[in-house]
């Protein structure tokens, strides 16, 4: 046990003190290996969330725009995509890509001549999560776009804006403000869903915690830590989204006006 | 102006009608809104279109900047056929400004930004120059001091004047006004009409749909009266108001005056 020797730093000292006085074994504080596993687990969860969030927003913005396309087949394609990703469990999606699609793709040879899959499990997780959240984002953005009055779009047309110009400069900025609460929910959901990457051995927060509790035999303690860590991570995301929402508030807009 | 020259038919000269509407027909489904409407607007002229609700006034002026496609007939703006499927509608709209009844400002932009947006995004003009011009336009519509207010913080009349400035920022050759004072209370109507009158006096070609008979009488060079999709009669204001010929005109004027 790490606490048999002198703790290397203040955090470890706190961990050992807690263990001695409360009988709670927080190895993530006083065991350097567990601590680094746990921290990189948090780091991986944040990485998965931020990158998937970024791509899912791009998918949402582009998809919602394409949904207004004049071409029927484009609209069908987008709607098909939404139906598939909304009506299947995200874990099944991750498995589908990691075990299904990945096998169909050619492998690449690395420097030492080993055959490696085209995408790593982390990349597949990001890919899959982005599509999952992106499908919902398309629908969310669409509801925002539909809330922008036709007359406002018409004013942009009358000024010579193209359809894309109207979308980028007028529709999207207004739509985002309308759909921020729904977007907020979906992004929180995305952060929580990153824990499914556990199933394809991505060393994110849940995976790291499970390894730690298996080795240290402190399942209940780590369970509580895990829950609290997710609460904190989601709290930070919600706080960030709320500040964004506040910074985008327009005086005199959004109180049932603008029909 | 380079942008105007690009869409002006080579044969067009300023002594020809700037807007030439001939026999225009338009139906929404089975309902024929315009049943062969014709009108000519010379450069610098101010035209008022009046008529009962639903007679097709809005539809007519929305055809002029191709917001509505016509089913038959022809509309020429500076000699350029609007009904031509090959026409670059966006180029046309850059020289035909339009102001709407409901202002339709962009609510997420300040008054100044509303005026600056299109020249920057659409004409790709230099931002500093556009800002300079936009501030002058804001001053012209007598809203100095309101540059940084959002539309939601402005009164209806103020919003409408920002909308006029926003259209003018594109340096249009023609301005279309669709009942721009209909949503305003009587006090603010005056401010907006003042701005339009000034524009007309400066020589802007204006086509107005309005219910303000006194204003039409003062400002218009020519009045068109529409009913049920046709132009019943048209004349200079003095003649139109003193000696209306058609029964429908007389009835309408009797109700409204
Ligand atoms: N996009 C549309 N689709 C279907 N019908 C339309 C459309 N636009 C206008 N109409 C119909 O065409 C008729 C004429 O409409 P328009 O708006 O041109 O009348 P108006 O003379 O401007 O009336 P008002 O004084 O009330 O504004 C109306 O009966 C209207 O319902
Ligand atoms: Mg109308």
């Amino acid at each position: 046990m790490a606490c048999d020797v002198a703790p290397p730093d203040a955090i470890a000292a706190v961990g050992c003190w807690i263990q001695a006085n409360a009988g709670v074994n927080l190895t993530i504080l006083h065991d350097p290996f567990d601590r680094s596993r746990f921290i990189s687990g948090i780091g991986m969860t944040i990485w998965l969330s931020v990158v998937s969030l970024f791509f899912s927003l791009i998918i949402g913005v582009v998809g919602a725009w394409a949904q207004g396309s004049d071409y029927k087949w484009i609209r069908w394609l987008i709607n098909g995509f939404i139906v598939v990703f909304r009506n299947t469990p995200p874990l099944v999606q991750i498995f589908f890509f990691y075990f299904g699609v990945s096998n169909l793709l050619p492998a690449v040879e690395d420097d030492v001549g080993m055959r490696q899959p085209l995408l790593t499990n982390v990349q597949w997780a990001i890919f899959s999560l982005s599509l999952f959240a992106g499908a919902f984002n398309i629908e969310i953005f669409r509801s925002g776009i539909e809330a922008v009055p036709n007359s406002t779009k018409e004013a942009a047309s009358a000024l010579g804006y193209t359809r894309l110009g109207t979308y980028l400069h007028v529709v999207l900025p207004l739509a985002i403000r309308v759909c921020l609460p729904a977007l907020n929910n979906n992004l929180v959901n995305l952060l929580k869903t990153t824990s499914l990457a556990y199933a394809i051995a991505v060393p994110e927060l849940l995976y790291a915690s499970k390894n730690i509790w298996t080795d240290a035999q402190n399942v209940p303690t780590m369970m509580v830590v895990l829950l609290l860590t997710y609460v904190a991570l989601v709290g930070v995301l919600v706080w960030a989204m709320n500040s964004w929402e506040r910074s985008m508030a327009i005086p005199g807009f959004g109180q049932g006006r603008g029909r | 102006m380079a942008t105007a020259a690009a869409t002006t038919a080579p044969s067009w000269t300023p002594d020809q009608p700037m807007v030439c509407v001939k026999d225009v027909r338009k139906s929404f489904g089975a309902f024929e809104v315009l049943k062969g409407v014709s009108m000519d607007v010379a450069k610098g002229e101010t035209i008022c279109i009046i008529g009962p609700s639903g007679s097709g006034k809005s539809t007519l002026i929305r055809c002029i900047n191709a917001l509505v496609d016509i089913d038959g007939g022809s509309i020429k703006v500076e000699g350029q056929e609007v009904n031509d499927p090959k026409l670059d509608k966006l180029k046309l709209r850059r020289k035909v400004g339009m102001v709407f009844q409901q202002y339709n400002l962009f609510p997420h932009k300040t008054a100044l930004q509303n005026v600056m947006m299109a020249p920057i995004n659409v004409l790709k003009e230099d931002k500093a120059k556009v800002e300079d011009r936009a501030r002058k336009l804001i001053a012209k519509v007598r809203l100095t001091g309101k540059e940084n207010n959002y539309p939601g913080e402005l009164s209806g009349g103020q919003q409408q004047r920002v909308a006029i400035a926003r259209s003018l920022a594109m340096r249009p050759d023609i301005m279309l006004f669709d009942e721009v004072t209909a949503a305003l209370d009587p006090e603010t109507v005056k401010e907006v009409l003042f701005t339009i009158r000034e524009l007309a006096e400066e020589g802007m070609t204006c086509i107005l749909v309005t219910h303000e008979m006194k204003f039409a009488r003062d400002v218009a060079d020519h009045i068109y009266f529409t009913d049920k999709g046709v132009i019943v009669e048209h004349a200079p204001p003095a003649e139109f108001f003193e000696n209306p010929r058609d029964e429908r005109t007389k009835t309408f004027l009797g109700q409204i005056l």
Side-chain angles (χ1 to χ4, degrees), chain B residues 21-28 31-38 59-60 63 68-75 83 229-230:
Chain B
V21 177
K22 233 191 207 122
D23 234 12
V24 165
R25 296 182 171 272
K26 174 69 191 177
S27 301
F28 290 113
F31 181 57
E32 195 167 34
V33 183
L34 299 176
K35 303 170 183 163
V37 171
S38 303
T59 307
L60 173 60
C63 290
V68 172
D69 292 323
I70 60 178
D71 299 334
S74 130
I75 298 179
N83 199 20
V230 295

Side-chain angles (χ1 to χ4, degrees), chain B residues 206-249:
Chain B
C206 297
I207 304 179
L208 290 102
V209 174
T210 184
H211 287 303
E212 300 288 334
M213 292 305 143
K214 191 179 166 310
F215 180 75
R217 194 175 198 148
D218 289 354
V219 175
D221 296 304
H222 214 84
I223 310 248
Y224 284 79
F225 175 70
T226 60
D227 189 23
K228 301 197 175 71
V230 295
I231 293 189
V232 175
E233 70 177 286
H234 63 95
E239 191 186 326
F240 181 86
F241 286 104
E242 310 304 333
N243 291 312
R245 287 190 216 110
D246 197 282
E247 274 313 310
R248 286 172 283 180
T249 319

Side-chain angles (χ1 to χ4, degrees), chain A residues 36 51 56 62 68 71 83 88 93 151 174 181 188-189 191 208-209:
Chain A
S36 86
V51 178
S56 78
V62 174
Y71 298 102
V83 168
T88 54
Q93 293 167 18
S151 54
L174 292 170
V188 165
N189 200 31
L191 193 154
S209 304

Side-chain angles (χ1 to χ4, degrees), chain A residues 151-163 169-171 173-174 177 249-253 257, chain B residues 62 65 67 90 93-94 96 98 100 104-108 117-118 121-122 150 152-153 159 166-167 170:
Chain A
S151 54
T152 308
K153 291 182 233 172
E154 198 165 54
S157 298
L159 285 166
Y161 277 93
T162 57
R163 200 174 89 79
H169 296 289
V170 178
V171 175
L174 292 170
R177 289 168 165 96
I250 314 163
F253 175 73
R257 277 186 80 259
Chain B
R62 292 153 64 85
N65 69 349
L67 281 180
L90 304 175
R93 288 175 189 156
R94 283 167 214 170
V96 183
M98 178 147 188
F100 302 85
N104 300 350
L105 290 179
F106 304 130
H108 60 302
M117 266 175 81
N121 298 333
V122 175
Y150 285 87
E153 302 172 311
Q159 289 188 59
R166 178 177 69 173
S167 274
M170 295 294 281

Side-chain angles (χ1 to χ4, degrees), chain B residues 139-154:
Chain B
K140 182 184 170 70
V141 297
R142 298 186 328 289
L143 284 174
T144 307
K146 299 283 183 198
E147 287 88 348
N148 298 324
N149 285 90
Y150 285 87
E153 302 172 311
L154 298 174

Side-chain angles (χ1 to χ4, degrees), chain B residues 57-58 101 178-179 209:
Chain B
K57 307 179 296 292
S58 299
Q101 180 175 338
D178 190 0
E179 298 194 37
V209 174

